[in-house]
Amino acid sequence: MRTFLSAVLVVLVTVLVPAGAVAYWADRELGDADRYTAAMSPLAENTAVQGVVVTQARRALAGQIDAGPFQGGVDALLGEALRSFAGTPAYRTAWDAANRAAHAAFLHALTTGDGNAVAIDLAPVIEQIKGELVADGVPFADRIPVTHVSVKVMEYDNLGALRKGFRMLQIAGIWLPVLTVVLAAAAIAVAVRRRRAVIATGLGIAVGAVLLWIAVALCRRLTLDDLPADIDRAAAAAVYDALTAFLRTTAWVILAIGLGTALAAWLTGRLRRTP
């Protein structure tokens, strides 16, 4: 009976390892503005992401300038100026500000229950871009109005379900990993042969890490496959990889811990048998 109970607990640990990692990631990584911004910050230097940002910013800013018959030339100059701007420290500052605004809007939608869309205010970003363009002497850049430009970044038909799921992950964020550790200790404690239980628990933890890695990779493929045709896949892939970097690193760390624990227990048994 004790052996059976230990085996059941090991199976539960295997399942809870990826679930606990995802819950912790949602609560402490996605739910924290500083960590979210830090995860997205390196994308400021990603060429695919820069291309998307420059294109979207050019469209937004061009719509704010009425240059009459010179509109085409102004749009071209604006595009060149934005491409140059994308390599400056000011761009990285604006990128971080935009991501912090997007994170705040996302959390607001998930926690307040207001509407089924997430929008961000680009006024701080436009103000910084305008200052750079004016300093570079771009014609008509001084006409760009720094107003509250609301841009919809996500619309979801059933955002209520997403709110509930995110709330559950936040609640389980710290307790699920703690429960996993407790169950792992219980699986060893109730076993008749504890060394074998340690090996089994370590292997179960390693399998859970592999399941986590597979889930991240599978979700990546499904996410990219479901993108609309007008979305840049390279940029989307870079964003997904940045957001899930914590999960991939966690999977490798847990895998090392699980295999290391199992190997140490196995070697201990071998050494005890050596005369």
Side-chain angles (χ1 to χ4, degrees):
M1 182 62 183
R2 291 172 59 185
T3 301
F4 175 76
L5 179 58
S6 178
V8 171
L9 291 174
V10 169
V11 172
L12 287 176
V13 168
T14 303
V15 174
L16 288 178
V17 163
V22 171
Y24 186 89
W25 167 73
D27 182 33
R28 298 305 174 94
E29 297 296 318
L30 291 187
D32 184 89
D34 291 334
R35 293 180 181 178
Y36 174 85
T37 304
M40 297 294 288
S41 185
L43 292 180
E45 299 179 2
N46 183 280
T47 55
V49 175
Q50 281 185 2
V52 173
V53 171
V54 167
T55 299
Q56 296 298 326
R58 180 180 59 80
R59 291 175 181 172
L61 294 178
Q64 303 289 328
I65 302 175
D66 183 11
F70 304 104
Q71 191 69 49
V74 170
D75 289 350
L77 286 173
L78 192 58
E80 290 297 326
L82 285 171
R83 279 188 284 273
S84 298
F85 173 68
T88 65
Y91 166 77
R92 289 188 286 274
T93 300
W95 170 258
D96 289 342
N99 278 289
R100 190 172 291 274
H103 180 268
F106 181 69
L107 281 188
H108 178 78
L110 287 180
T111 56
T112 64
D114 294 340
N116 289 327
V118 176
I120 61 173
D121 182 9
L122 291 182
V125 179
I126 292 178
E127 183 176 8
Q128 187 143 16
I129 293 176
K130 176 184 177 179
E132 291 291 325
L133 296 179
V134 170
D136 291 340
V138 176
F140 301 100
D142 58 330
R143 296 188 182 182
I144 299 174
V146 182
T147 57
H148 292 284
V149 179
S150 182
V151 177
K152 189 180 295 184
V153 296
M154 185 185 75
E155 188 169 12
Y156 192 66
D157 293 335
N158 190 14
L159 195 57
L162 185 59
R163 290 187 187 107
K164 293 179 181 178
F166 186 75
R167 180 57 181 164
M168 290 178 63
L169 288 175
Q170 282 189 309
I171 294 174
I174 188 63
W175 295 112
L176 209 53
V178 170
L179 177 61
T180 304
V181 173
V182 170
L183 291 181
I188 297 171
V190 303
V192 176
R193 299 181 178 181
R194 292 186 176 176
R195 186 178 63 82
R196 290 187 178 182
V198 172
I199 295 175
T201 302
L203 292 177
I205 291 173
V207 171
V210 173
L211 292 176
L212 174 61
W213 187 88
I214 292 174
V216 172
L218 181 60
C219 287
R220 183 184 193 273
R221 180 174 180 180
L222 293 175
T223 299
L224 296 181
D225 287 345
D226 289 341
L227 288 176
D230 59 340
I231 299 297
D232 188 288
R233 290 178 61 86
V239 172
Y240 181 91
D241 291 341
L243 288 177
T244 57
F246 173 83
L247 290 177
R248 294 195 306 276
T249 302
T250 299
W252 285 111
V253 171
I254 294 175
L255 178 65
I257 292 174
L259 292 180
T261 300
L263 180 61
W266 180 78
L267 289 176
T268 299
R270 296 286 294 181
L271 291 175
R272 287 180 178 177
R273 295 177 184 176
T274 301

